[in-house]
């Protein structure tokens, strides 16, 4: 596992300098750290001619890139070519002698941050709307003509210094590109199974290894790479929790080039809340979420809808394995951990025995 750094503090003077350099004519009013991931993120209010604007500054916690430059370019591409609600990027700086680079400034969007586990307790109509909108946005994402190989997405454009990124999909490419999807999938599966062997579910690891070997062998192409959201979950959204409207899709640093079905099935499992069904007041709503996501996807990308029309158990199981690997990070009511873990274990065995 990669060691995750602590977010470093950025001084108000540095933030003021960044605003002055990036947005001439605007002055800093306030800057407050935001608890979001491990990057150094600040909620910034700037002003010009009595007009205030709320922004976010996202910067490296330790001088490493952590996908931040790529995230800024991806958001620019999505702003230019889709209706996906991503924050507009106003300025990117890839390198600076004293500022905490890389960093970028982006507009703030409305909506509420909702706990990851809240998805299991949304009313049906709220979850259906959220799923339908997620499906439509994934359809738009998968239709962006940006990648031709499988792997982690990166940008190939020039470095920027206090400049707005362009929105050309041609500036995106893939790091260490793979031609063969099953081979690349095996790499990802092996990585997750390595983690799984150290988890509380490790008794399942040998059987999962054999099951994935057989399942990947049976996958039937052709496999076409698309931009994949990958990092699904309420933690990377802003929503209206009363209606299910998605007002922002955040954190694009770990975008992958994958088949559309892979991205779609991950989203179905994670937004269904099925991994919480061991709680007495949470239902397994995979079928409902998949139907709603499919309906949204069909409206946005009818030319691609056939590729996500049939559920693929290999992709669902990998999403389940990721939940098992990160089980300790779930926030569960006290005393329910064992019941939730056993439900996930039973769910996995159902797929193993299918």
């Amino acid at each position: 596992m990669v060691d995750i750094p602590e977010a470093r503090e950025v001084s108000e003077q540095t933030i003021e300098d960044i605003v002055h350099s990036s947005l001439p004519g605007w002055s800093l009013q306030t800057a407050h750290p935001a608890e979001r991931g491990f990057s150094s993120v600040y909620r910034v209010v700037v002003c010009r001619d009595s007009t205030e604007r709320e922004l976010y500054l996202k910067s490296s916690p330790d001088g490493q890139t952590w996908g931040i430059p790529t995230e800024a370019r991806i958001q620019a591409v999505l702003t230019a070519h889709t209706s996906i609600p991503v924050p507009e990027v106003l300025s990117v700086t890839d390198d600076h002698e004293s500022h905490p680079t890389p960093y970028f400034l982006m507009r703030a969007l409305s909506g509420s941050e909702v706990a990851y586990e809240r998805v299991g307790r949304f009313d049906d109509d709220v979850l259906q709307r959220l799923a339908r909108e997620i499906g439509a946005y994934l359809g738009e994402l998968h239709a962006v003509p940006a990648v031709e190989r499988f792997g982690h997405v990166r940008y190939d454009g020039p470095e920027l210094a206090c400049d707005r990124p362009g929105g050309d999909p041609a500036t995106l490419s893939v790091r260490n590109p793979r031609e063969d999807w099953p081979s690349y999938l095996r790499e990802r599966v092996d990585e997750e199974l390595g983690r799984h062997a150290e988890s509380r579910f490790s008794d399942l690891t040998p059987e999962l290894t054999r099951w994935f070997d057989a399942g990947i062998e049976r996958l039937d192409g052709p496999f076409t790479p698309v931009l994949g959201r990958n990092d699904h979950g309420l933690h990377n959204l802003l929503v209206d929790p009363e209606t299910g409207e998605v007002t922002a899709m955040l954190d694009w640093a770990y975008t992958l080039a994958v088949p559309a079905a892979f991205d779609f099935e991950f989203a179905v499992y994670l937004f269904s809340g099925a991994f919480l069904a061991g709680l007495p007041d949470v239902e397994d709503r995979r079928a409902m979420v998949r139907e709603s996501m499919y309906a949204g996807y069909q409206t946005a990308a009818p030319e691609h809808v056939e590729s996500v029309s049939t559920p693929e158990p290999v992709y669902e199981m990998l999403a389940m394995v990721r939940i098992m690997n990160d089980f300790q990070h779930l926030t569960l009511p006290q005393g329910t951990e064992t019941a939730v873990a056993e439900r996930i274990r039973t769910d996995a065995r159902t797929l193993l025995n299918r």
Side-chain angles (χ1 to χ4, degrees):
M1 288 292 291
V2 176
D3 290 331
I4 302 300
E6 293 275 341
R8 63 178 164 183
E9 182 179 353
V10 182
S11 71
E12 186 168 322
Q13 181 60 59
T14 297
I15 296 175
E16 187 173 357
D17 291 344
I18 289 171
V19 169
H20 177 74
S21 300
S22 302
L23 303 172
W26 292 82
S27 60
L28 177 68
Q29 299 297 295
T30 62
H32 299 288
E35 294 184 9
R36 181 157 197 91
F38 62 84
S39 297
S40 298
V41 180
Y42 281 76
R43 177 184 176 274
V44 176
V45 177
V46 298
C47 180
R48 184 178 68 182
D49 300 330
S50 301
T51 298
E52 287 192 346
R53 180 185 292 179
E54 183 179 347
L55 311 175
Y56 278 89
L57 169 68
K58 186 168 188 176
S59 65
S60 168
D62 61 357
Q64 302 300 310
T65 60
W66 294 105
I68 291 171
T70 295
E71 179 178 13
R73 274 68 170 197
I74 289 173
Q75 288 183 198
V77 168
L78 299 183
T79 296
H81 295 276
T82 75
S83 68
I84 299 171
V86 297
E88 179 188 4
V89 177
L90 303 176
S91 175
V92 177
T93 298
D94 292 303
D95 190 29
H96 190 277
E97 60 183 12
S98 60
H99 291 169
T101 51
Y103 63 78
F104 65 93
L105 280 168
M106 56 185 161
R107 289 185 185 270
L109 293 178
S110 63
S112 300
E113 294 189 31
V114 181
Y116 188 78
E117 297 80 6
R118 176 80 179 277
V119 71
R121 293 186 170 86
F122 280 151
D123 291 339
D124 282 356
D125 59 337
V126 173
L127 185 57
Q128 283 175 312
R129 175 171 179 175
L130 182 141
R132 189 166 55 251
E133 292 189 2
I134 292 293
Y137 293 142
L138 287 186
E140 290 192 60
L141 175 66
H142 296 169
V144 175
V147 290
E148 297 179 349
R149 305 289 188 274
F150 301 104
H152 281 272
V153 176
R154 66 176 184 183
Y155 80 97
D156 281 333
E159 287 197 348
L160 299 178
C162 301
D163 292 317
R164 183 189 293 262
D168 185 359
T171 61
L172 301 180
S173 65
V174 175
R175 183 175 72 245
N176 299 323
R178 312 296 203 283
E179 294 275 357
D180 182 65
W181 166 245
S183 296
Y184 178 58
L185 178 60
R186 282 182 186 276
E187 293 178 22
R188 300 198 62 79
V189 167
D190 288 345
E191 180 180 329
E192 292 295 341
L193 288 177
R195 296 178 60 211
H196 193 272
E198 303 297 324
S199 75
R200 67 186 292 165
F201 302 92
S202 60
D203 58 296
L204 293 175
T205 308
E207 194 171 352
L208 282 167
T209 301
R210 293 189 295 271
W211 187 90
F212 274 116
D213 285 345
I216 294 173
E217 189 70 29
R218 287 195 302 268
L219 287 178
D220 187 23
F223 306 106
T224 302
V226 300
L227 291 177
R229 172 74 169 129
N230 182 47
D231 204 2
H232 294 292
L234 283 183
H235 62 304
N236 283 333
L237 301 178
L238 297 180
V239 303
D240 181 336
E242 301 301 318
T243 66
E245 177 189 5
V246 178
T247 59
M249 299 183 77
L250 309 173
D251 293 342
W252 294 85
Y254 300 106
T255 300
L256 298 178
V258 294
F262 178 89
D263 200 32
F264 191 88
E265 295 305 329
F266 256 71
V268 168
Y269 182 75
L270 294 175
F271 285 112
S272 73
F275 55 93
L276 298 169
L279 297 173
D281 56 344
V282 176
E283 298 178 14
D284 182 345
R285 294 184 283 182
R286 267 173 287 194
M288 185 188 79
V289 166
R290 193 177 206 287
E291 181 180 357
S292 296
M293 277 185 52
Y294 185 80
Y297 196 98
Q298 193 169 29
T299 63
E303 69 277 17
H304 296 290
V305 75
E306 185 178 351
S307 64
V308 302
S309 61
T310 303
E312 175 46 65
V314 169
Y315 304 153
E316 180 183 13
M317 183 69 93
L318 188 55
M320 202 178 300
V321 166
R322 185 180 291 178
I323 286 289
M324 289 189 258
N325 290 348
D326 294 325
F327 185 83
Q328 70 275 16
H329 298 303
L330 294 178
T331 302
L332 301 171
Q334 188 172 2
T336 63
E337 292 87 353
T338 298
V340 174
E342 286 309 305
R343 175 57 186 259
I344 295 172
R345 189 187 306 276
T346 298
D347 204 9
R349 286 206 173 278
T350 298
L351 273 184
L352 286 169
N353 296 328
R354 183 179 297 177

